[in-house]
Amino acid sequence: MKAIAVVPGVAGSRLVERPEPSLTAPDQVKLKVLRVGICGTDREEVAGGRALLPQGQKDLVIGHEMLGQVVETGSAVTRAKAGDLAVFTVRRGCGECASCAMHRADMCETGQYKERGIWGLDGYQAEFVLDTEAHLVPVPPQLAGVGVLIEPLTIVEKAIFEALRWQQLRRPDAAVAPDWIVGRRCLVAGLGPVGLLAALVLRLRGAEVFGLDIADPASPRPQWLASLGGHYVDGRTIASGQLGQAAGGMDLIVEAAGIPSLEFNLFDAMAFNGVYVLTGIPGGDRPLPVDAGRIVRHLVLHNLAMLGSVNAARGHFQMAVDDLLAAHLRWPGKANELITHHHPLAQFQQPLAQISPGAIKEVIEWQ
Ligand code: BGC
């Protein structure tokens, strides 16, 4: 079968041949891949950046944002049957720590985890993929058009859940109003697919959402945010360190830009006792001068909480499915608008190397 692979550390992607996987255990599920999304991590791998070769292999099949259709199930599989839509999660545990033993490889304690399509295991840019039912998430048929957004959505599901959990534990007012997030001022920094999906989740939870980017306000991403009732903040018109004055204090910031110079400027925009969760993974190692004293002063004097969040567990995948269903009812067709480019397999190289003009989410079609 065909698959798209990279050689870690070497720029470029190529089509390779892999043996079609077949079931070898009763708890396995084989999926026919329908489509696979492309994100910054894939583009970094294709540029020769962060990626790990599977042991004993010469190349790594990329792709982790997938939607597939079940073609075969082992005799012990109970949650899926041939014809169902489904996705596989990304991370596989180290087999040593308590988190991984509890199916929470997203919180692996040893760092010896693997990730399909990224770190030591072949991914989903292939005709067929196989894994165990433990890593399978069924997708209802209503989500056929947007199922490929589930994985990027899990990133914000986990990040927002953790930030809110933290606030519930430490803020006295959260005990008075358990739905603390309702009406809260939340900033999403970076309106790529992850940022826009964060805006969607926060709007579903009842928050007042502001989205920061440097795009023209009339362009599709700010317009999409506005159609959900969010407010666009044009970063081009705001001087560094003035965001708080321009937009007001934020109770929650979700960072989805992966731009360190921006990340350290957002502290000025936080309200007292706010929480700031980072999800972007900056590439490269460019040193950055920051006013560390000012940042620490803000953190301490304002009781700020800052956390990083990566990957997602199966529970977050289920939250993503549920929120896409809720979004489908509340804003029919809106999530579909995020998938702007469907590329045929024959044209995989260009979108993996560079974002297409005007694109939000680009996918490779395997059908
Ligand atoms: C993926 C995550 C993964 C992370 C780090 C992201 O692009 O969505 O699943 O854990 O990269 O490799």
Side-chain angles (χ1 to χ4, degrees):
M1 66 166 189
K2 294 190 187 69
I4 302 172
V6 300
V7 177
V10 178
S13 60
R14 59 192 172 126
L15 213 53
V16 296
E17 275 297 323
R18 282 279 196 277
E20 187 177 317
S22 35
L23 267 60
T24 55
D27 63 343
Q28 288 177 333
V29 182
K30 178 173 168 180
L31 304 183
K32 176 184 166 59
V33 174
L34 300 178
R35 58 188 68 91
V36 182
I38 300 172
C39 78
T41 297
D42 300 298
R43 293 197 176 99
E44 199 192 340
E45 294 180 67
V46 168
R50 198 172 64 85
L52 182 71
L53 205 58
Q55 225 175 7
Q57 283 185 201
K58 293 196 303 296
D59 50 23
L60 164 78
V61 174
I62 59 170
H64 58 279
E65 301 183 355
M66 58 100 62
L67 176 68
Q69 187 164 34
V70 178
V71 286
E72 208 183 337
T73 56
S75 57
V77 171
T78 58
R79 292 186 299 116
K81 56 177 189 323
D84 290 355
L85 296 176
V87 300
F88 283 136
T89 61
V90 177
R91 200 178 271 197
R92 302 293 171 262
C94 68
E96 290 165 29
C97 74
S99 298
C100 290
M102 296 169 77
H103 300 291
R104 289 297 307 271
D106 62 307
M107 300 296 272
C108 176
E109 292 154 43
T110 64
Q112 300 305 310
Y113 58 80
K114 291 180 176 164
E115 288 181 342
R116 294 206 59 173
I118 305 169
W119 206 246
L121 288 175
D122 274 346
Y124 305 133
Q125 290 280 19
E127 287 177 80
F128 295 94
V129 292
L130 181 107
D131 216 315
T132 60
E133 188 182 15
H135 305 301
L136 179 106
V137 181
V139 175
Q142 304 94 297
L143 299 186
V146 292
V148 79
L149 297 175
I150 290 172
E151 198 280 340
L153 181 51
T154 65
I155 302 302
V156 294
E157 293 288 2
K158 176 179 172 183
I160 292 171
F161 178 81
E162 292 208 339
L164 296 185
R165 185 84 189 266
W166 199 337
Q167 294 305 79
Q168 272 147 13
L169 286 173
R170 74 193 192 105
R171 286 189 65 130
D173 59 342
V176 183
D179 267 340
W180 177 82
I181 188 68
V182 175
R184 290 283 161 181
R185 296 164 56 82
C186 300
L187 178 76
V188 175
L191 295 180
V194 171
L196 291 172
L197 288 168
L200 181 130
V201 169
L202 290 167
R203 289 294 297 137
L204 282 174
R205 306 274 185 281
E208 186 173 8
V209 177
F210 298 81
L212 172 70
D213 209 293
I214 50 169
D216 190 301
S219 64
R221 293 177 295 122
Q223 287 296 315
W224 191 90
L225 174 74
S227 70
L228 260 55
H231 316 288
Y232 179 55
V233 181
D234 187 348
R236 301 172 306 176
T237 63
I238 296 169
S240 166
Q242 299 301 306
L243 185 63
Q245 276 183 348
M250 299 292 165
D251 298 302
L252 165 65
I253 297 183
V254 179
E255 180 280 329
I259 304 170
S261 54
L262 168 72
E263 285 155 15
F264 284 103
N265 266 321
L266 294 178
F267 284 97
D268 297 306
M270 294 195 69
F272 276 85
N273 311 330
V275 60
Y276 178 8
V277 57
L278 295 101
T279 70
I281 307 171
D285 280 317
R286 269 159 297 163
L288 172 74
V290 291
D291 186 347
R294 186 174 57 91
I295 292 169
V296 174
R297 211 159 40 240
H298 266 291
L299 272 168
V300 175
L301 290 177
H302 296 170
N303 280 314
L304 303 183
M306 182 183 189
L307 68 147
S309 178
V310 70
N311 197 252
R314 208 173 75 190
H316 305 116
F317 275 73
Q318 191 55 53
M319 290 163 74
V321 167
D322 294 347
D323 277 342
L324 280 175
L325 284 171
H328 179 65
L329 294 173
R330 181 150 168 205
W331 303 289
K334 263 290 133 200
N336 304 62
E337 289 173 18
L338 293 176
I339 308 170
T340 52
H341 291 60
H342 294 259
H343 298 279
L345 176 60
Q347 283 158 28
F348 71 93
Q349 262 164 339
Q350 180 61 29
L352 277 169
Q354 217 176 1
I355 302 181
S356 305
I360 303 179
K361 175 57 73 186
E362 303 187 65
V363 302
I364 307 273
E365 289 290 340
W366 279 90
Q367 281 281 11

